[in-house]
Amino acid sequence: MEDAAPLVSIPEAPIPDHGTAEWFSGADGATLRAAFFSPEGEARGSVVVSPGRSEPIEKYFEVVQDLLNRGFVVLVHDWRGQGLSHRALPDRLKGHAAGFKDFLADHQALLAAFETRLPKPWIALGHSMGGCLLLLALASGERRFAAAVLSAPMLGLNTAGVPPWVATPLSWTLSRIGVAGAYVQGGRYDPLAQTFAGDALTHDEARYDRYQAQLRANPEIALGGMTWGWADFAIAACRWLRRSKGVEVIDIPVTIAAAELDNRVLNPDQKQLANRLPKGRYLEVPGSFHEILIETDPRRAIFWKAFDETVDAIAE
């Protein structure tokens, strides 16, 4: 029997029905958390949800319910370094990484742990960092998914005015001279003290406040600013995808939904990669900030329309 893991439930965001969280082991034995949800009746297939940087499972409860309503089994997970999964540094608020190989190995371990409970076809849904890592997995040879839908995937970083020819060698060097675990300059912040206006992640204040309430209910799921190690990982991951021939052999439908007003990742990089995919599709959600999945209802509806158009022919 799988070991039970906790999920944070608050009145504004209760745990969706027919769902439980479990611990599983990453490729190096790291303790990681995932949650599994079943729809009413026979499932149309399974959706594996991979969140963005800093995002715990709980932030996706509304997305889980959207997918359950569509008849899918849903598996959503905490990447290492966030949520209640293993964190490499004593300071839990530091968003840290050491390359992308561990993330990809963990993703393989996740699929292996749940494979027998995931009816086909499989759909990959990823946001931001999760979208980048899903594309890395697909370009590296993962062939069990029948389609992928990505929300504002991290394929090029907004480096806040620092040109790439400075940011790339700087993060590479600092992550290798003993300060990989230090915050990037100006990167320290308290996630519980963030504000709706200051973050500019969504136009929907109620959804933003709901997530802040989840963090207050259990601060252990919160994550703060990034380290130099994380910056180096993110830049390297984007560069790998730009150069990899593996992108051109991803032979499943992949929809990339970009946020028109994104200030975290770069839309031109998303469009360029979509054009390299044999069955790629690129669209922009008008007026959306980075967090499309917690945007206002009309903006979310554009994403879900694109999702349905991508998967309905596959999961009938």
Side-chain angles (χ1 to χ4, degrees):
M1 180 178 294
E2 296 80 9
D3 295 329
L7 285 171
V8 179
S9 182
I10 61 173
E12 308 96 300
I15 300 167
D17 291 339
H18 310 295
T20 57
E22 302 171 16
W23 303 113
F24 71 100
S25 293
D28 59 356
T31 300
L32 308 175
R33 184 178 68 146
F36 181 89
F37 302 86
S38 298
E40 297 281 359
E42 185 176 355
R44 296 172 59 198
S46 303
V47 179
V48 180
V49 180
S50 293
R53 194 197 84 83
S54 84
E55 297 182 322
I57 291 168
E58 286 80 2
K59 189 173 183 178
Y60 283 78
F61 282 171
E62 184 177 14
V63 171
V64 168
Q65 191 61 59
D66 290 331
L67 293 167
L68 292 174
N69 292 345
R70 285 169 165 78
F72 290 103
V73 164
V74 185
L75 176 64
V76 57
H77 63 108
D78 286 337
W79 293 108
R80 67 171 54 217
Q82 53 195 55
L84 293 181
S85 285
H86 166 77
R87 302 199 186 189
L89 301 178
D91 183 351
R92 289 183 59 84
L93 288 182
K94 286 184 174 180
H96 184 61
F100 57 78
K101 291 184 179 179
D102 285 344
F103 287 121
L104 297 185
D106 291 343
H107 191 254
Q108 289 296 300
L110 170 78
L111 298 180
F114 288 88
E115 184 166 16
T116 59
R117 288 183 276 168
L118 295 173
K120 295 291 184 70
W122 289 4
I123 312 299
L125 191 161
H127 173 66
S128 196
M129 182 187 85
C132 173
L133 290 168
L134 284 172
L135 283 172
L136 283 167
L138 294 171
S140 298
E142 173 55 61
R143 293 293 180 262
R144 286 172 287 183
F145 288 97
V149 183
L150 310 178
S151 160
M154 183 189 76
L155 304 178
L157 289 174
N158 180 347
T159 51
V162 180
W165 60 268
V166 173
T168 298
L170 181 63
S171 62
W172 187 93
T173 301
L174 292 178
S175 68
R176 287 163 176 80
I177 61 170
V179 293
Y183 283 111
V184 300
Q185 187 174 0
R188 180 192 295 270
Y189 67 85
D190 179 358
L192 297 176
Q194 296 300 102
T195 65
F196 171 70
D199 265 0
L201 288 170
T202 171
H203 293 85
D204 193 307
E205 191 165 3
R207 285 187 169 101
Y208 181 91
D209 289 345
R210 180 185 66 195
Y211 178 51
Q212 291 300 112
Q214 290 174 313
L215 298 183
R216 289 192 297 272
N218 185 354
E220 291 293 295
I221 65 174
L223 190 68
M226 67 188 72
T227 66
W228 285 111
W230 191 92
D232 178 61
F233 138 72
I235 292 171
C238 296
R239 185 173 64 246
W240 191 94
L241 284 169
R242 283 195 295 271
R243 297 175 176 178
S244 173
K245 297 298 183 183
V247 170
E248 279 82 21
V249 296
I250 299 174
D251 62 353
I252 61 173
V254 178
T255 292
I256 293 178
E260 182 190 20
L261 304 181
D262 206 317
N263 61 4
R264 263 60 171 186
V265 300
L266 303 179
N267 291 356
D269 292 285
Q270 297 174 43
K271 189 171 186 178
Q272 289 172 13
L273 191 137
N275 289 337
R276 293 170 57 205
L277 293 163
K279 299 179 183 178
R281 176 191 179 196
Y282 174 85
L283 67 120
E284 288 190 6
V285 179
S288 179
F289 286 147
H290 181 61
E291 299 277 8
I292 299 170
L293 293 167
I294 62 165
E295 261 288 4
T296 57
D297 286 344
R299 295 179 176 107
R300 293 182 83 248
I302 294 170
F303 174 87
W304 286 116
K305 181 175 184 291
F307 178 91
D308 292 336
E309 291 169 348
T310 304
V311 307
D312 281 354
I314 297 166
E316 297 180 356

